[in-house]
Amino acid sequence: MRCRDLVGVAAGWCLLLGSAGGSVLRPANGLSWSAPGGASGSVPWNIVVLLTLLTLLPALVLSMTPFVRLLVVFHFLRQALGTQSTPTNQTLIGLALILSFFLMQPVMSAVHDRALVPYEQGKLSVMAAMEQATPPLRQFMLKYVREKDLALFLDLAHQSRPERRDEVEMRVVIPAYILSELKAGFQIGAALYLPFLVVDMVVASITTSVGMLQLPPVVISTPLKILLFVMVDGWNLVVGSLMKSFS
């Protein structure tokens, strides 16, 4: 997908989000939006509304993409290595964002083709475009939602279990998806932590047995863990395993 297509997808989702706030948007000439009463808003006001809706994009990225799982695993990995602030938060967030985009590209393409393009051509209204854009996202999230989390939010929403999973409302799917991703991220992070914990325990036992009480074990174990991680090509293994977990 080209860069202009990505901008189009983001703008399209902002337009679709605008409908949730009660405004009805129409693609008159690409710039004029119509309010429920039929009055057209000015271009500066439209720009203000669009920029305001763009602030919701970070929440969408966090709640409807693999970003949460990836970032949790990367932070666990950094803690296990004992490198404190290396890689930096910006580096980990950037890596998680790029990988999330890589994983979500088919979904974004489906949303673009099914909803944004017909909407720009005037073939769909805002509500119809939103309905067409929702199924690809719901289908993606439902692949990784645990039944337990889904049942929890169905119960909290006082809804009966639908006959088909694709009939579950997005207000139930999204929080269930976040919980499932957090659990998956913590599971993977715990599995990554164990080998480095063994190294810490071995180093602490050796330094204590030889009487090196003045030298903290972490001073010795950290270089060993980094060396071990580099020798096994750790970043390739971690990122490869994470990406395969979404296949």
Side-chain angles (χ1 to χ4, degrees):
M1 184 182 293
R2 293 172 295 180
C3 182
R4 61 181 294 272
D5 296 330
L6 296 178
V7 175
V9 171
W13 270 108
C14 287
L15 293 177
L16 298 180
L17 285 171
S19 66
S23 61
V24 179
L25 314 177
R26 300 188 183 280
N29 55 9
L31 293 175
S32 178
W33 298 350
S34 298
S40 297
S42 62
V43 172
W45 176 249
N46 294 338
I47 293 175
V48 170
V49 173
L50 181 60
L51 291 178
T52 302
L53 293 175
L54 281 172
T55 61
L56 297 175
L57 285 179
L60 287 177
V61 172
L62 285 173
S63 59
M64 304 172 69
T65 69
F67 183 82
V68 171
R69 183 192 302 192
L70 296 172
L71 193 59
V72 167
V73 172
F74 290 151
H75 277 285
F76 265 103
L77 177 61
R78 187 175 66 181
Q79 288 292 110
L81 286 171
T83 54
Q84 303 300 324
S85 59
T86 304
T88 62
N89 288 332
Q90 292 84 351
T91 302
L92 296 181
I93 292 173
L95 179 58
L97 191 61
I98 293 299
L99 295 178
S100 298
F101 163 72
F102 180 86
L103 292 168
M104 292 296 295
Q105 188 172 7
V107 179
M108 295 171 64
S109 298
V111 171
H112 179 266
D113 296 338
R114 296 181 54 172
L116 186 58
V117 172
Y119 173 76
E120 290 177 341
Q121 295 174 350
K123 298 179 180 179
L124 293 176
S125 64
V126 173
M127 295 305 297
M130 186 166 61
E131 290 176 0
Q132 291 295 321
T134 300
L137 290 167
R138 181 192 288 114
Q139 184 179 5
F140 173 82
M141 288 188 287
L142 284 175
K143 289 181 181 178
Y144 310 106
V145 170
R146 296 190 309 157
E147 292 291 338
K148 184 177 181 180
D149 296 328
L150 199 60
L152 170 64
F153 283 97
L154 282 172
D155 182 63
L156 294 175
H158 302 290
Q159 294 182 2
S160 59
R161 188 178 184 87
E163 296 181 358
R164 299 188 304 171
R165 285 169 62 93
D166 55 3
E167 295 177 354
V168 182
E169 295 182 3
M170 289 294 284
R171 74 186 187 101
V172 173
V173 175
I174 293 175
Y177 173 76
I178 296 175
L179 283 187
S180 300
E181 288 296 283
L182 284 173
K183 179 177 176 59
F186 272 75
Q187 286 177 331
I188 298 172
L192 283 174
Y193 218 110
L194 290 178
F196 299 106
L197 180 61
V198 172
V199 174
D200 285 332
M201 293 175 62
V202 170
V203 171
S205 299
I206 294 176
T207 55
T208 303
S209 62
V210 298
M212 299 174 60
L213 302 178
Q214 301 301 321
L215 184 64
V218 68
V219 176
I220 301 175
S221 63
T222 298
L224 292 178
K225 289 187 292 186
I226 295 175
L227 180 62
L228 175 64
F229 189 71
V230 172
M231 289 179 60
V232 299
D233 198 5
W235 283 111
N236 183 278
L237 292 175
V238 171
V239 172
S241 299
L242 279 172
M243 300 299 279
K244 290 177 182 177
S245 69
F246 288 97
S247 61

